[in-house]
Amino acid sequence: MTGKTPRTVLVTGPGGAGRTTVAAATALAAARRGDRTLLLCADPAGPGAVLGTAATTAAGVEPAEVTPGLWVARVDPADYFRNEFLALQERAAAALDMLGARRLDGEELTELPGAEQFALLQALRRAAAGDWNVLVVDLPPLRDALSVLALPERLRRLIGRLLPAERQAARALRPMIAQLAGVPMPAGWLYGAAARRDEELAAVQALIGSPSTTVRLVAEPGPAAADALRVARDGLSLYGLRVDALVPNKVLPTDSSDAWLATLAAQQQKCLDGWSEEYGPGSDSGAGWPLREVRHLGRDPRGLDDLAGLEALADLGPDLGPDTEPDPDPWWVEDRREDDGLLVWSLPLPGAVKADIGLVRRGDELLLTVGPFHRIVPLAGALRRCTVSGAALTDGVLKVRFTPDPGLWPRTP
């Protein structure tokens, strides 16, 4: 283990855009540059078809080297669900025996819906702890990927609310409380399991939020992808995910003499011009995503030679190695008490529309909604002693105004 967070590239995009191809080409480029690289594929089928026949059998749950410097592993939801269920069954053995329940064997277990997301989180945790310089993750389609990346933060909040750590201090009192209340209290292993889960989720959350982690968006130029990218931009901004590149994939040549092909190419170019204006560096929305076009090969890329020819994917972006200093918090608080009697919390949401934004203060948390995405954000200490007095969306930045509560704010002597 290196003890450092690897340079991580999370690859996603609308379905059918060529995510696996882009992820594999990105990983291969990193490996040929000399980085010890792991390609982690969320598709249970693995990336074997893209990498070539030699990798088809090598892409198992455990990393296997398919070419010098490049290891491949895939996520197996069935294996994850089976192991987790059997471990839970073992921990609850006493209760099951008391009820006379018959235990299940691993062979008769099939995963339940949702196992894919948790299996991916576990695979990310294991990969983050490995000895890798570069980690490339072939994520599910865009909306599902955003849900997975937001999951660790949500689950940790739920664990903290339902099984707070401070309750463990009263472990010795639980038998007495159970007698007084007449109901059984949670067993010690439940709190232990919650603590372990929180630790595991914290590791994944740290990987996702690391300054050395970026998202690489893959989209085939066209109206459907354009709509998906606009929606995704809201989620990426809300969850604080940084995009290193927008990869327009399967871009057709513009010099074809075939009228039908030339028409399709012209439509793609019109879309690309719009993407450059809307998302590229210097765009009005402030997204600032570099566009790296990948030409259409006239066939689906197959094998290492085809992948090596996708030169646009060789660059991992700015130097974001494991020792990179974190960027300043993009959600900053401006102290305007002296002039306006306010604290203003600024949340960049490039491209967001006022009608799609929801804002609710609940206790010491702020419930934010942007389009179909939701996030519950804990307030900083100073903001907890204030009341929300308004909000405005200006130039892609949501500014939330907080007025100090005289009853809570420290008085100046």
Side-chain angles (χ1 to χ4, degrees):
M1 291 176 55
T2 63
K4 298 179 179 179
T5 303
R7 172 70 177 95
T8 303
V9 182
L10 307 171
V11 182
T12 185
R19 301 184 315 276
T20 300
T21 297
V22 170
T26 300
L28 178 62
R32 292 192 170 181
R33 194 178 56 229
D35 291 318
R36 180 179 169 87
T37 303
L38 173 65
L39 171 61
L40 179 63
C41 186
D43 186 344
V50 172
L51 290 169
T53 55
T56 303
T57 56
V61 175
E62 297 299 325
E65 191 173 21
V66 297
T67 192
L70 176 59
W71 280 257
V72 177
R74 61 180 175 82
V75 179
D76 188 342
D79 181 72
Y80 166 81
F81 179 79
R82 185 181 305 110
N83 291 335
E84 289 292 304
F85 187 92
L86 292 177
L88 176 63
Q89 184 175 247
E90 186 63 29
R91 288 195 296 268
L96 293 175
D97 291 342
M98 183 175 62
L99 295 172
R102 179 182 176 186
R103 300 191 193 184
L104 298 174
D105 296 325
E107 292 77 10
E108 57 184 313
L109 295 175
T110 56
E111 71 270 23
L112 295 175
E116 298 87 351
Q117 293 180 325
F118 292 99
L120 177 55
L121 293 180
Q122 184 194 57
L124 284 173
R125 179 183 63 83
R126 294 176 60 188
D131 187 17
W132 312 109
N133 302 117
V134 175
L135 170 62
V136 180
V137 186
D138 175 21
L139 288 174
L142 200 47
R143 290 287 294 273
D144 293 338
L146 290 173
S147 296
V148 170
L149 296 177
L151 195 54
E153 181 180 80
R154 294 176 178 175
L155 291 176
R156 294 191 70 201
R157 178 181 177 274
L158 290 176
I159 290 174
R161 289 288 297 273
L162 297 176
L163 295 170
E166 56 267 20
R167 288 188 185 177
Q168 299 186 51
R171 181 179 301 176
L173 299 177
R174 280 201 292 271
M176 181 179 65
I177 296 175
Q179 290 182 356
L180 294 175
V183 295
M185 301 299 290
W189 68 263
L190 179 59
Y191 289 93
R196 288 192 299 272
R197 277 289 181 264
D198 183 72
E199 183 179 352
E200 294 172 356
L201 290 168
V204 180
Q205 187 177 355
L207 173 71
I208 296 171
S210 167
S212 61
T213 296
T214 56
V215 176
R216 181 159 292 190
L217 295 172
V218 186
E220 186 173 350
D227 292 340
L229 289 176
R230 290 191 189 97
V231 174
R233 179 176 54 190
D234 292 339
L236 291 164
S237 300
L238 182 62
Y239 301 142
L241 301 169
R242 179 169 47 185
V243 175
D244 69 54
L246 169 58
V247 181
N249 195 24
K250 305 177 185 177
V251 177
L252 299 170
T254 58
D255 57 356
S256 174
S257 58
D258 183 280
W260 180 78
L261 190 60
T263 299
L264 292 180
Q267 292 174 352
Q268 281 194 341
Q269 287 302 313
K270 182 178 179 181
C271 181
L272 290 172
D273 292 341
W275 286 0
S276 180
E277 182 178 346
E278 188 171 1
Y279 304 115
S283 61
D284 293 338
S285 71
W289 302 344
L291 269 65
R292 297 185 184 147
E293 298 180 20
V294 175
R295 73 185 192 281
H296 203 304
L297 298 182
R299 64 184 186 283
D300 290 335
R302 288 292 181 270
L304 301 181
D305 291 340
D306 280 354
L307 296 176
L310 306 182
E311 299 90 352
L313 304 176
D315 186 4
L316 293 182
D319 183 11
L320 299 170
D323 298 321
T324 303
E325 289 296 325
D327 288 340
D329 187 352
W331 294 13
W332 69 93
V333 177
E334 181 183 359
D335 189 346
R336 288 168 36 186
R337 285 176 295 164
E338 186 173 338
D339 296 330
D340 305 317
L342 298 171
L343 294 172
V344 180
W345 195 15
S346 297
L347 296 75
L349 299 172
V353 179
K354 181 180 179 181
D356 293 337
I357 295 179
L359 185 67
V360 177
R361 166 78 180 271
R362 183 174 297 170
D364 292 337
E365 297 176 321
L366 201 63
L367 283 65
L368 283 170
T369 297
V370 184
F373 304 102
H374 308 275
R375 187 179 183 187
I376 301 177
V377 187
L379 295 174
L383 300 182
R384 294 179 183 181
R385 300 192 295 272
C386 301
T387 58
V388 177
S389 53
L393 181 67
T394 306
D395 297 329
V397 178
L398 178 64
K399 295 181 178 291
V400 186
R401 299 185 297 275
F402 289 81
T403 301
D405 185 338
L408 299 175
W409 200 263
R411 296 181 181 273
T412 303

